[in-house]
Amino acid sequence: MSPAALEKPLTLALSKGRIFDETLPLLAAAGIQVSENPESSRKLILPTSDPGLQLIIVRASDVPTYVQYGAADFGIAGKDVLFEHAAGNAGGLYQPIDLNIARCRLCVAVREGFDYQAAVAQGSRLRVATKYVRAAREHFARKGVYVDLIKLYGSMELAPLVGLADAIVDLVSTGNTLKANHLVAVEDIVDISSRLIVNQASLKTRAKQLQPLIDAFGRASAAEDSLG
């Protein structure tokens, strides 16, 4: 490897919002500070206090792609995103640590007053809106429930209210958004947290730089989990 390549900073892929916010304490525990907030900055590449590390800010669903193809050496993504990504992308990602951040649940939700259990028991064919198509398909297949899946990318709660779908499969944290839109969670599918993912080629060629950060993330995550 050339000296220029050795000097190139490691790149960590993150998404805005909760994952970014809950990653900051893990970075701080590793002695790394981020001077800019992506919510207020237009920059998509953020330097850190460590010249050997930079952040890139991408959509949550794109984090595994950036890492798998080597545009980022490592990243942090939710279990939900990783599960959907794996459906069409084999290999290329190493998942050494469940960071136990950005915890939530993937749930089935319906509008208030809709008798979900009766619909399932009667063998009704349900229309389900979700962006988590693979997870939804496998969940309902295990239950033997026939569903028509409608892929949406946002405003999932609207679908049952306007008759687009009988139910949605979406992430739920506090449940406040469901409540505000007169929806109720009727079934939990899986608990979700965010994981550190690493490009396998980077792990081989840049192990001396990467491994200390992976270890630091592991220690910080374990400390946070014990406090929580």
Side-chain angles (χ1 to χ4, degrees), residues 81 88 112 193:
V81 169
E112 292 174 355
S193 57

Side-chain angles (χ1 to χ4, degrees), residues 34-145:
V34 182
S35 58
E36 296 186 56
N37 187 323
E39 297 293 348
S40 55
S41 172
R42 292 182 178 271
K43 293 181 181 177
L44 299 177
I45 301 177
L46 303 180
T48 73
S49 58
D50 181 346
L53 177 68
Q54 65 180 6
L55 310 184
I56 60 172
I57 306 301
V58 300
R59 285 179 64 125
S61 57
D62 290 337
V63 169
T65 302
Y66 275 82
V67 175
Q68 179 165 349
Y69 288 95
D73 299 288
F74 59 152
I76 296 175
K79 182 179 177 182
D80 53 312
V81 169
L82 294 171
F83 186 75
E84 296 295 321
H85 176 81
N89 300 273
L93 291 177
Y94 171 53
Q95 301 181 35
I97 305 169
D98 185 342
L99 296 171
N100 292 307
I101 63 172
R103 295 180 187 178
C104 54
R105 312 180 323 275
L106 188 64
C107 296
V108 180
V110 299
R111 67 185 182 277
E112 292 174 355
F114 180 82
D115 195 338
Y116 173 75
Q117 299 303 332
V120 168
Q122 292 165 8
S124 302
R125 191 178 190 100
L126 299 177
R127 284 191 299 175
V128 179
T130 186
K131 66 178 177 180
Y132 304 105
V133 173
R134 182 188 177 196
R137 181 183 296 116
E138 293 190 7
H139 171 71
F140 287 108
R142 286 193 299 270
K143 293 171 64 67
V145 176

